[in-house]
């Protein structure tokens, strides 16, 4: 069956360092992959979308890579700040027909000053 | 502010009851999604509508139903409520049936 796996353990890093979060998937052939940020009790907020023919995408301090051979996406936050502390979710289309965007469980990131 | 409006923000009800959650998508968005998020389950896809038609379905219980109206707002109906239905229910919208989603702030349902 289809599965999305993200680091289940919280990631704790020091301010100024680069945070790297992993999203692995099985039994999918997604046309694109998305990353969202979610703060406690709030709705997820879209960050980046990367298509299967794109190896890397950047937005300000964020960078996403997408390796369709490894079935893995890496999400990097450079020069991390305490304000980056949140849960980060990756999401994939569930059926390659549009719609049914399926989310991973998320990785909680804590950036300490 | 994502532009997606959900009401009510909080709802407390008893087992066996029925509730309706409402969602107004961003102006111009044709697609509406419903998700359930409980502490131990993460964000679970329930159902998606596109321009009034059901487009995709997740593991939505038979006690739950949804629809999208001609003005594109959507309602999620939850009936015969059980304790386990207590969760945050999110609505999201997008311009088309793929692409980035814009989430509302959710409706927190507590079933006692």
């Amino acid at each position: 069956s289809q599965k999305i796996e993200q680091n289940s353990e919280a990631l704790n890093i020091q301010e100024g360092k680069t945070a790297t979060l992993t999203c692995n998937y099985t039994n999918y052939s997604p046309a694109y992959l998305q990353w969202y940020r979610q703060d406690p009790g709030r709705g997820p907020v879209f960050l980046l979308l990367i298509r299967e023919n794109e190896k890397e995408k950047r937005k300000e301090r964020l960078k996403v890579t997408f390796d369709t051979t490894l079935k893995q996406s890496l999400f990097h936050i450079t020069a991390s700040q305490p304000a980056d502390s949140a849960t980060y979710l990756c999401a994939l289309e569930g059926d390659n027909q549009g719609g049914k965007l399926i989310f991973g469980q998320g990785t909680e990131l804590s950036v300490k000053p | 502010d994502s532009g997606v409006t959900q009401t009510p923000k909080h709802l407390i009800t008893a087992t066996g009851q029925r509730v309706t959650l409402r969602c107004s998508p961003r102006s111009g968005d044709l697609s509406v999604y419903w998700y359930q998020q409980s502490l131990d389950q993460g964000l679970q896809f329930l159902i998606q509508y596109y321009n009034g038609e059901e487009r995709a379905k997740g593991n939505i219980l038979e006690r739950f139903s949804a629809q999208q109206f001609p003005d594109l707002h959507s309602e999620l109906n939850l009936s015969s409520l059980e304790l386990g239905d207590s969760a945050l229910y999110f609505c999201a919208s997008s311009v088309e049936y793929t692409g980035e989603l814009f989430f509302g702030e959710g409706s927190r349902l507590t079933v006692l």
Side-chain angles (χ1 to χ4, degrees), chain A residues 23-94:
Chain A
C23 176
N24 294 300
Y25 59 93
T26 56
N27 299 324
Y28 280 98
S29 295
Y32 58 83
L33 183 148
Q34 302 184 35
W35 283 89
Y36 289 75
R37 168 186 173 138
Q38 186 174 26
D39 292 285
R42 307 294 299 276
V45 175
F46 171 79
L47 296 174
L48 282 167
L49 181 153
I50 184 165
R51 301 189 185 282
E52 60 179 341
N53 60 348
E54 298 174 312
K55 296 297 182 191
E56 180 180 299
K57 200 154 191 181
R58 292 175 186 258
K59 179 182 173 183
E60 296 172 355
R61 295 184 295 110
L62 309 180
K63 184 179 88 170
V64 173
T65 62
F66 192 11
D67 189 326
T68 56
T69 302
L70 289 179
K71 294 187 182 295
Q72 181 182 78
S73 174
L74 298 179
F75 177 80
H76 307 271
I77 304 175
T78 58
S80 59
Q81 304 165 1
D84 295 326
S85 298
T87 295
Y88 292 85
L89 307 164
C90 74
L92 298 170
E93 279 182 282

